Amino acid sequence: MKKRIPFICGNWKMNTTVEEGVNLAKALKEQTVSEEVEAVIAPSFLHLYPVKEVVDGSSWKLSAQDMSSEEMGAHTGEVAGEMIQGLEIPYVILGHSEARGRGQSNELLKKKLERAFALGLKPIFCIGEDESVYEEGKTISFVLNQLEESLGEISTEKWAGMLFAYEPIWAIGTGKTASAEDAQKVAKEIRQWIREKDEALGEELRILYGGSVKSDNARSILEQEDVDGLLVGGASLKAEEFGKIVGAGVFHE
Ligand code: PGA
């Protein structure tokens, strides 16, 4: 058994029409999820409600893909955390590299994290380096700096239940996966960083890996001591494939 319950999240990104999303959710719902894993899907904002109607009452949980740093109000085109909270959606992905690529800074992400905590939403906070940082061998310091600048000053009392997702940008959607050993190496450093802030949280909080995860590499990554789950993009859009990835999170003695 893993020390922490594996958390497997499918990030649908900007994919599927409503009909396709609902059908995908129905196909996932037909697959029984073991109690030994937590299975989550993150459809686009527009699809959260219809998909929620499909998965409610099943073991599948939902996450939003982002949220505004602002309170509900006059912010055309934005989605407030209150709206996510109002749908009783427990998780929100924050700091995904594709969102950072659209200009979300560590400073803005700090505001989003504070907003999520204030609303009782659990962030899945993404961090990760690009190819040049990786090649220079500066991954660890880069990732720890992202953590420090966005989360470092927020009281650890608020962190309960949040998740971390290490996603090397060069591995996202490219078919190039970090080796299981590399994922472990970075996850271990992240855990150490958390531990230094709060020993108990360092043991408790889950750290995911993301970047070209498929059913054939999921298990070897999940076997790593400090990797407690996966954030899956492309491979989460096929029910059978994603079902196998969720199945890879079930560890028996
Ligand atoms: P990918 O995306 O699995 O398609 O590489 C992962 C992610 O961006 O979360």
Side-chain angles (χ1 to χ4, degrees):
M1 291 279 273
K2 296 279 286 180
K3 265 196 216 158
R4 295 163 281 267
I5 293 179
F7 184 100
I8 320 270
C9 180
N11 174 10
W12 291 4
K13 308 192 177 184
M14 196 175 71
N15 288 297
T16 82
T17 61
V18 174
E19 193 184 356
E20 287 163 353
V22 163
N23 286 339
L24 177 53
K26 282 183 182 160
L28 290 173
K29 195 183 164 181
E30 278 168 23
Q31 310 186 21
T32 330
V33 178
S34 156
E35 282 175 7
E36 291 171 41
V37 297
E38 193 170 351
V40 180
I41 45 178
S44 88
F45 287 127
L46 202 56
H47 302 171
L48 277 170
Y49 188 70
V51 167
K52 180 179 159 63
E53 290 202 306
V54 174
V55 300
D56 261 356
S58 76
S59 341
W60 292 87
K61 295 184 188 166
L62 289 173
S63 172
Q65 293 180 14
D66 198 356
M67 59 173 256
S68 171
S69 60
E70 301 295 328
E71 287 179 30
M72 198 139 70
H75 299 282
T76 304
E78 291 284 317
V79 173
E82 288 89 336
M83 299 169 183
I84 300 165
Q85 181 199 45
L87 278 184
E88 297 180 353
I89 287 166
Y91 298 108
V92 58
I93 297 173
L94 292 178
H96 191 281
S97 59
E98 286 154 13
R100 289 177 185 266
R102 292 192 299 272
Q104 296 191 10
S105 62
N106 288 340
E107 198 186 340
L108 176 70
L109 290 166
K110 180 178 182 196
K111 283 181 76 182
K112 290 191 186 222
L113 283 164
E114 281 170 335
R115 197 74 212 114
F117 291 137
L119 292 165
L121 297 169
K122 296 186 186 105
I124 302 169
F125 184 51
C126 304
I127 54 239
E129 82 290 7
D130 67 16
E131 190 141 34
S132 65
V133 172
Y134 175 71
E135 273 166 10
E136 280 175 68
K138 298 202 169 132
T139 297
I140 305 288
S141 59
F142 185 87
V143 162
L144 297 187
N145 182 60
Q146 285 181 319
L147 288 174
E148 199 58 60
E149 287 194 0
S150 295
L151 189 62
E153 286 168 11
I154 303 178
S155 158
T156 52
E157 279 168 29
K158 304 192 176 155
W159 300 10
M162 76 170 292
L163 297 107
F164 296 79
Y166 167 56
E167 297 207 300
I169 298 172
W170 48 270
I172 295 177
T174 56
K176 286 195 242 170
T177 324
S179 67
E181 292 72 27
D182 271 354
Q184 163 59 20
K185 210 166 92 189
V186 182
K188 190 175 172 195
E189 295 290 339
I190 295 171
R191 188 169 309 289
Q192 186 53 30
W193 182 87
I194 305 169
R195 233 182 234 135
E196 280 165 20
K197 304 280 178 190
D198 185 299
E199 186 74 35
L201 286 177
E203 289 309 312
E204 199 178 296
L205 296 184
R206 290 173 289 181
I207 301 167
L208 321 179
Y209 166 80
S212 296
V213 172
K214 311 243 164 3
S215 59
D216 56 10
N217 59 19
R219 183 73 178 195
S220 63
I221 300 169
L222 284 167
E223 274 167 355
Q224 304 302 312
E225 188 181 345
D226 290 295
V227 179
D228 313 304
L230 303 166
L231 188 53
V232 186
S236 72
L237 293 168
K238 294 187 200 102
E240 198 188 334
E241 171 72 358
F242 191 52
K244 282 191 203 158
I245 296 174
V246 170
V250 181
F251 286 78
H252 294 294
E253 284 301 295

